[in-house]
Amino acid sequence: QIEKVVVKMTMRVGENGKVFGSINSKDVAEALVKQTGLDIDRRKVELKNAIKNLGEYTAVAKLHTDVTAQFKVMVTKEEA
């Protein structure tokens, strides 16, 4: 079920295309819970690196000792 999820997030972007700040695994976990209503421990969501650019990324949720699920994180420009 979680592998079908695409978590949508936005980031502020300056005039020159530079992104402000970054998105970490805690941010992704909070967005996942908010957008899906699933009860997932925020500490169980991992990103390989903090997200510092727009685009599509893959995150991993550790659901159980031997059970993990990958899901997509789509980062788009925040509309002013």
Side-chain angles (χ1 to χ4, degrees), residues 5-33:
V5 170
V6 177
V7 175
K8 293 177 174 67
M9 302 187 75
T10 59
M11 293 182 80
R12 285 185 37 218
V13 179
E15 291 178 22
N16 59 356
K18 184 165 173 32
V19 175
F20 293 103
S22 65
I23 295 175
N24 60 30
S25 56
K26 180 177 174 250
D27 300 326
V28 172
E30 288 175 3
L32 175 67
V33 170

Side-chain angles (χ1 to χ4, degrees), residues 12-79:
R12 285 185 37 218
V13 179
E15 291 178 22
N16 59 356
K18 184 165 173 32
V19 175
F20 293 103
S22 65
I23 295 175
N24 60 30
S25 56
K26 180 177 174 250
D27 300 326
V28 172
E30 288 175 3
L32 175 67
V33 170
K34 191 175 186 180
Q35 292 176 27
T36 64
L38 297 172
D39 184 26
I40 295 175
D41 187 341
R42 288 163 173 75
R43 295 173 301 223
K44 304 279 187 194
V45 175
E46 294 181 355
L47 286 169
K48 285 188 174 144
N49 298 305
I51 298 173
K52 297 182 181 180
N53 293 301
L54 303 179
E56 190 173 289
Y57 298 87
T58 301
V60 177
K62 292 186 177 181
L63 305 174
H64 204 276
T65 308
D66 297 327
V67 181
T68 61
Q70 293 186 348
F71 61 96
K72 293 195 181 308
V73 179
M74 180 67 70
V75 182
T76 57
K77 180 179 176 181
E78 184 176 281
E79 298 300 323

